[in-house]
């Protein structure tokens, strides 16, 4: 397929490289990042997308996505599909999909989980919103860049799935970290705590696959001095998107709101920026109970 790829940063770069390696014809554009090997460099976003069957965007946020969409939609060939893989607010995802459809294009929102490691290894999970026809057209590309693509529903459903998942993840990691800090103060050994919880009803991905306690459970960023991994500021971005969406539809998310406030404080005031999101454990362990 002829593919235009806009946004070749930490995630987009390796995703584009994998598509080129699989034999697709790629033209890429980024304001700053270089094109990876095998990807032809275009001089503008519009040039990158002209004549492409599928255009993939991997950009920082919804505002930038909207600005890029304004540039590329008029330059895309009729019937082509615009597939945005960035994590953005549901409203921007729906607005861009609507704009694309009005121009005779297909549109998908297809945010990913799996991080930079998954992007390089081609093992991402795609959560996809949009029409059956657009999904079917892009599926072979999802299969190159990832190991799983779930068609979640119509426009915006992929972003909805992503922020619900990450709201669960942020809240679960926070409570897992505070439980370890409580266990410490109760004199309970961390390894014994892991043995019990990982096989009991408190188990979760945060505990079992990404244990925040160093030297306990499988290898995780905790064993590498909490270098990300999944950076706390990226978790904060996703939590804020969950709260923005919850406000827009009047959904009660008290625990999600508390997790958002916690990560905001950690990232913006307490040195969490640039650390893995599981670094809440040493943070809690070093503090006592705060006045409620
Ligand atoms: P990044 O900052 O490394 O890459 C974004 C790229 O977009 C940059 O290279 C930037 O130069 C480019 N860009 C910005 N404005 C542009 C424009 N107008 N035209 C062309 N290029 C432009 O970010 P990333 O880590 O690759 O993340 C991309 C998206 O993926 C984000 O929405 C993020 O939330 C999501 N995501 C990231 C991770 C992760 O672990 N990094 C995991 C899952 C999802």
């Amino acid at each position: 397929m002829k593919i235009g790829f806009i946004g070749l940063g930490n995630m987009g770069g390796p995703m584009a490289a994998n598509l080129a390696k699989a034999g697709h014809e790629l033209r890429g554009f980024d304001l700053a990042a270089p094109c990876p090997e095998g990807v032809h460099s275009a001089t503008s976003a519009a040039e990158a997308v002209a004549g492409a069957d599928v255009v993939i965007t991997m950009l920082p946020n919804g505002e930038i996505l909207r600005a890029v969409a304004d540039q590329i939609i008029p330059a895309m060939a009729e019937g082509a599909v615009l597939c945005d893989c960035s994590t953005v607010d549901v409203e921007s995802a729906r607005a861009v999909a609507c704009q694309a459809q009005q121009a005779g294009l297909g549109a998908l929102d297809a945010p990913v989980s799996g991080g930079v490691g998954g992007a390089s290894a081609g093992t991402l999970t795609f959560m996809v919103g949009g029409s059956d026809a657009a999904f079917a057209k892009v599926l072979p590309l999802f299969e190159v860049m990832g190991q799983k693509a779930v068609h979640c529903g119509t426009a915006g459903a992929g972003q909805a799935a992503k922020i619900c998942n990450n709201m669960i993840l942020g809240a679960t990691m926070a409570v897992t970290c505070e439980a370890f800090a409580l266990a410490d103060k109760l004199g309970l050994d961390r390894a014994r705590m892991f043995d019990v919880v990982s096989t009991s009803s408190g188990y979760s991905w945060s505990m079992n696959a990404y244990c925040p306690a160093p030297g306990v459970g499988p290898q995780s960023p905790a064993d590498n001095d909490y270098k990300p991994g999944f950076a706390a500021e990226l978790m904060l971005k996703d939590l804020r998107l969950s709260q923005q969406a919850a406000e827009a539809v009047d959904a009660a998310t008290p625990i999600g709101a508390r997790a958002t406030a916690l990560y905001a404080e950690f990232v913006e005031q307490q040195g969490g920026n640039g650390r893995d999101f599981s670094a809440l454990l040493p943070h809690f362990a070093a503090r006592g109970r705060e006045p409620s």
Side-chain angles (χ1 to χ4, degrees):
M1 268 192 235
K2 284 190 178 166
I3 301 168
F5 208 115
I6 316 290
L8 299 159
N10 293 321
M11 296 290 292
M15 289 164 69
N18 284 337
L19 289 171
K21 259 186 245 152
H24 295 289
E25 198 181 310
L26 267 90
R27 264 189 294 172
F29 178 74
D30 191 295
L31 288 180
C35 273
E37 211 182 302
V39 178
H40 180 83
S41 174
T43 54
S44 69
E47 189 196 310
V49 306
D53 303 301
V54 172
V55 171
I56 300 177
T57 47
M58 196 51 170
L59 297 162
N61 58 47
E63 200 182 326
I64 293 175
L65 170 66
R66 286 181 194 241
V68 168
D70 285 342
Q71 294 165 33
I72 61 178
I73 286 175
M76 284 174 64
E78 207 179 325
V81 175
L82 173 54
C83 174
D84 176 48
C85 294
S86 331
T87 304
V88 304
D89 56 289
V90 177
E91 216 175 295
S92 293
R94 291 197 172 132
V96 166
C98 185
Q99 193 181 345
Q101 279 153 10
Q102 279 166 2
L105 305 171
L108 296 174
D109 53 292
V112 302
S113 98
V116 178
S120 299
T123 55
L124 295 169
T125 296
F126 290 86
M127 298 153 248
V128 190
S131 71
D132 289 342
F135 180 75
K137 184 162 181 178
V138 183
L139 185 58
L141 307 184
F142 293 144
E143 283 167 350
V144 171
M145 297 183 286
Q147 61 187 0
K148 187 165 182 178
V150 181
H151 191 190
C152 299
T154 55
Q159 298 295 347
K162 165 96 188 177
I163 56 175
C164 287
N165 180 72
N166 281 19
M167 187 173 79
I168 295 171
L169 176 62
T172 309
M173 180 56 84
V175 77
T176 303
C177 291
E178 69 185 26
F180 268 115
L182 171 61
D184 288 349
K185 293 205 170 172
L186 295 174
L188 171 60
D189 178 70
R190 287 180 172 187
R192 297 288 87 75
M193 158 100 164
F194 175 82
D195 281 350
V196 171
V197 176
S198 64
T199 53
S200 299
S201 47
Y203 84 101
S204 66
W205 185 86
S206 296
M207 174 61 85
N208 292 37
Y210 204 97
C211 183
V216 177
Q219 278 283 316
S220 70
D223 299 304
N224 190 25
D225 201 22
Y226 296 98
K227 291 194 183 76
F230 185 25
E233 62 271 23
L234 290 179
M235 172 49 82
L236 175 59
K237 172 191 171 181
D238 294 354
L239 284 168
R240 282 191 164 140
L241 290 175
S242 77
Q243 296 313 292
Q244 189 182 336
E247 267 171 38
V249 295
D250 190 27
T253 56
I255 303 297
R258 188 69 192 98
T260 308
L262 248 170
Y263 273 102
E265 260 190 305
F266 182 52
V267 168
E268 290 164 0
Q269 296 164 34
Q270 297 164 337
N273 197 40
R275 306 192 79 197
D276 189 74
F277 83 123
S278 62
L280 275 184
L281 171 50
H283 173 71
F284 287 146
R287 303 167 94 83
R289 199 162 175 78
E290 283 173 12
S292 51

